[in-house]
Amino acid sequence: VMGCVSGGIGSFCGTPAEVALVRMGSDSKLPPAERQNYTSVLDCWARIVREDGWAHLWRGAAPTVLRATVLSSTLLSVTSETKDFLITSGYFGPQGQWGQGLPLLICATTVASFCATVASNPLDVIKTRMQQHKQLQKKHQTTGAVPKAPQHTSPSMLSCLQTSLQREGWTVLYKGFVPSFLKMTPYAILSLT
């Protein structure tokens, strides 16, 4: 429960930074004439507020909070359960204290990182698409390409999910899985051991 609460609160507070990160990252992929050319995070925030309003700093907050909640609770619970299972296996010495317990914790957090990435990656994909929505609309209006996000003004999680699944199939939910897992594993090992 505490993993859910702390993950949810932290991610809600950090959503404006996440929005800026996504917008600035995807800006470089646009054709030069369509780029916003943000100079900094502060410039990105100021322009979002000026052009779209304060509420757009929290665009995608629902999937961001849900993702953090799922990720934190999965990471903490699977680490705990895996650690208990590995201790009883006897492979890590009496009470898992072989190597002062470090190998046990590394194995448990690696398993938990995999499970947390499986559980949270679909929400991460939807969150990113919602946060990129305005830029995707601009890109597709000028190029005529098929958009990857719904074409109405403010996509909901469900409409974004539905459109993504219809256009790209279920594998879209695991785009970026390997980098996410590779990023999560050292984070989990360092923070939970």
Side-chain angles (χ1 to χ4, degrees):
V1 175
M2 292 311 294
C4 290
V5 172
S6 64
I9 292 171
S11 65
F12 181 78
C13 294
T15 297
E18 182 78 23
V19 169
L21 173 75
V22 168
R23 292 248 182 130
M24 291 173 75
S26 63
D27 193 50
S28 64
K29 297 175 186 170
L30 293 172
E34 297 173 29
R35 291 184 187 154
Q36 299 293 317
N37 296 318
Y38 300 115
T39 58
S40 67
V41 172
L42 295 176
D43 176 52
C44 184
W45 286 339
R47 290 168 65 183
I48 289 170
V49 170
R50 186 172 49 248
E51 295 169 15
D52 302 321
W54 281 95
H56 283 263
L57 290 175
W58 280 270
R59 172 172 249 161
T64 301
V65 170
L66 188 55
R67 175 194 171 272
T69 301
V70 167
L71 189 138
S72 296
S73 60
T74 304
L75 191 60
L76 293 173
S77 62
V78 172
T79 297
S80 179
E81 291 298 316
T82 304
K83 191 169 71 168
D84 290 344
F85 173 78
L86 292 175
I87 287 171
T88 60
S89 74
Y91 291 123
F92 294 92
Q95 296 300 310
Q97 291 306 310
W98 173 71
Q100 297 181 349
L102 192 59
L104 171 76
L105 292 171
I106 289 172
C107 288
T109 53
T110 301
V111 169
S113 297
F114 179 81
C115 294
T117 306
V118 168
S120 67
N121 207 80
L123 295 163
D124 202 16
V125 169
I126 298 306
K127 167 193 72 75
T128 301
R129 289 179 177 216
M130 287 178 72
Q131 291 170 340
Q132 289 177 328
H133 183 68
K134 183 177 177 182
Q135 289 175 308
L136 288 173
Q137 277 186 319
K138 283 183 182 178
K139 178 180 178 183
H140 300 303
Q141 285 171 354
T142 58
T143 64
V146 176
K148 292 186 180 181
Q151 285 300 297
H152 45 81
T153 54
S154 183
S156 69
M157 282 177 51
L158 291 177
S159 67
C160 190
L161 173 65
Q162 181 182 17
T163 302
S164 297
L165 289 173
Q166 285 173 347
R167 293 195 174 138
E168 299 172 67
W170 70 270
T171 57
V172 71
L173 299 177
Y174 289 95
K175 277 191 171 184
F177 178 85
V178 172
S180 293
F181 171 64
L182 294 176
K183 180 178 90 172
M184 173 61 61
T185 303
Y187 161 79
I189 290 170
L190 292 173
S191 64
L192 298 176
T193 55

